[in-house]
Amino acid sequence: MRGRGAQAVDRGSRSRVAAEAQPARASVTAAATGAWLLRGHDDRLTVYALAPGGVRRWTETAVGTGRWGGPDFFPAEGLTDLAVAQGANRYAHFLGRRERRTGGEGPKVDLLYAVQYQSGRTLGDWRSLGNPYRGAGEAVTLGAPTAAVDGQGTVHVFVSGGPGGVMLRREARSGAWEAWKDLRGGAVAGGLSASANSAGLVELLAPGHRSVMRWVQTEPGADMRRAQDLTPAPVPGSAALLETAPGVFTAYWSEQSGTGVYAQRPGEWAFPAGGAPGEGPHATLRAAVDGYDCTILAHRGRTGTAVFGVCGTGAESGGLWWTDTGLACTGTPALALDGHGRIVMAMVAADGAVLVNRQRPEPGLTLADWDRLSGD
């Protein structure tokens, strides 16, 4: 597996992108966080990204074809960050951090929420979820949100800022939103990461200055409770989750002193998995490669290019086979399976274009040519 799990990306695919790239206005301003490349209820893939004045969206015209419609544009002025989460029903949930300036006062900061129920359909109306921090000085420290949807369809929104720790707001069964709840914890360094497992239970990681803080949900509908921190110390905002066995998450994060990616499962010691990640989190995916159950990670490497790695699921202690795409990206790449079970990778290029690649139908994990999605 280690010798065939990941083969070098076609150098021709890199040159094709470089040759086709034309000077043009940027399509987007940043990659979203979370599931910004996702498969809808009809098995078509959709790409979402933060753009000037709102959100841009591209949707496959048919399952697994690699042809994309869009971009569609959904206005939301003042967004500085965008997170996307998906539940078991494949609805797409959007959380945005918004800054608005009114007169000579400082910026007014709050969170916006919207939902898309079907692939290619419009987003619902944006609504404000407010800001858990009341004081003007603390309110502007509100961090980028993250979200997860539990097995009951309840949206959990997490955010940090203010005096430290993590705040939670979730949607009640009635559709109303509960009040903000303080999960406490220490000061958070960088972005949060949340996900729900196949049992519908939510887990949250929050990188701190000395460890990765962790909260878990132990039964459906239960409150989030603090679990044991993960060490060694993380790079700010670098934590991510992947379910690698039924109901069991593996946590991944970049180690602070630069020794690479670490992985840990409950009840086990943390172990190094190699790599040379830069800042930011990791995209995670579980997929079959050559008939093997594999884990795939992707991140922005130390030199600014998109990098991906693969190993047998549960075998991270043996190291991942890492491949550098050679293409500079902003933010974290995204990973997903298309409707035919092929691995798809997306990134936001340095010029603001969205690039998408798909696994070749041949042994190993070899990517094909990069498609540059239209920015018109």
Side-chain angles (χ1 to χ4, degrees):
M1 176 64 219
R2 186 174 170 84
R4 293 172 59 114
Q7 299 176 9
V9 176
D10 257 0
R11 296 192 183 277
S13 69
R14 292 202 291 264
S15 61
R16 176 185 164 190
V17 170
E20 291 181 352
Q22 300 294 328
R25 63 185 178 86
S27 297
V28 301
T29 54
T33 57
W36 63 271
L37 169 68
L38 57 80
R39 198 168 80 231
H41 73 288
D42 61 359
D43 281 340
R44 289 187 293 159
L45 290 173
T46 303
V47 173
Y48 305 93
L50 186 63
V55 177
R56 283 198 172 193
R57 180 189 72 188
W58 292 261
T59 305
E60 279 189 312
T61 57
V63 176
T65 61
R67 293 189 293 271
W68 299 84
D72 301 309
F73 180 72
F74 303 98
E77 290 291 340
L79 290 186
T80 63
D81 299 272
L82 176 69
V84 188
Q86 189 177 40
N89 56 16
R90 299 196 182 179
Y91 297 167
H93 301 268
F94 302 85
L95 278 303
R97 179 187 183 275
R98 176 174 64 172
E99 280 193 12
R100 293 171 294 168
R101 293 192 175 272
T102 55
E105 301 177 359
K108 183 177 181 180
V109 180
D110 66 346
L111 295 183
L112 292 183
Y113 170 77
V115 60
Q116 175 191 296
Y117 297 105
Q118 295 182 2
S119 300
R121 299 294 181 89
T122 188
L123 272 63
D125 293 337
W126 292 95
R127 60 170 296 180
S128 176
L129 297 184
N131 188 322
Y133 305 107
R134 301 294 185 181
E138 291 182 349
V140 297
T141 68
L142 186 74
T146 193
V149 186
D150 70 14
Q152 300 173 316
T154 300
V155 182
H156 291 61
V157 177
F158 302 97
V159 71
S160 63
V166 177
M167 302 295 290
L168 163 66
R169 192 172 189 188
R170 61 184 184 180
E171 190 180 22
R173 293 184 183 181
S174 64
W177 287 84
E178 299 174 356
W180 287 100
K181 181 176 182 179
D182 190 352
L183 298 183
R184 302 187 183 281
V188 175
L192 311 172
S193 178
S195 189
N197 62 25
S198 56
L201 303 179
V202 173
E203 187 162 324
L204 170 71
L205 298 180
H209 295 292
R210 297 183 178 179
S211 65
V212 180
M213 296 173 283
R214 179 169 162 252
W215 286 260
V216 299
Q217 192 180 39
T218 55
E219 59 184 42
D223 290 337
M224 301 292 298
R225 68 172 182 83
R226 185 78 180 270
Q228 184 175 2
D229 287 5
L230 309 177
T231 55
V235 170
S238 66
L241 291 162
L242 178 68
E243 187 174 10
T244 53
V248 178
F249 277 121
T250 298
Y252 302 92
W253 69 98
S254 304
E255 196 271 331
Q256 198 175 87
S257 67
T259 57
V261 180
Y262 272 70
Q264 186 171 4
R265 279 177 284 278
E268 299 181 8
W269 294 102
F271 42 83
E279 295 182 356
H282 307 275
T284 63
L285 182 69
R286 190 173 172 186
V289 179
D290 294 346
Y292 292 93
D293 180 3
C294 291
T295 291
I296 298 98
L297 302 183
H299 56 244
R300 184 176 185 268
R302 202 167 290 163
T303 63
T305 57
V307 177
F308 67 92
V310 61
C311 69
T313 297
E316 297 92 344
S317 60
L320 278 75
W321 188 271
W322 295 97
T323 299
D324 192 330
T325 67
L327 292 175
C329 66
T330 62
T332 301
L335 295 169
L337 292 177
D338 71 7
H340 299 308
R342 292 172 298 184
I343 297 164
V344 181
M345 183 177 181
M347 72 171 83
V348 175
D351 65 355
V354 176
L355 306 179
V356 180
N357 209 324
R358 203 171 303 249
Q359 181 183 10
R360 286 185 184 274
E362 58 187 51
L365 176 50
T366 305
L367 299 181
D369 291 334
W370 290 90
D371 292 322
R372 186 181 180 94
L373 301 190
S374 167
D376 297 333

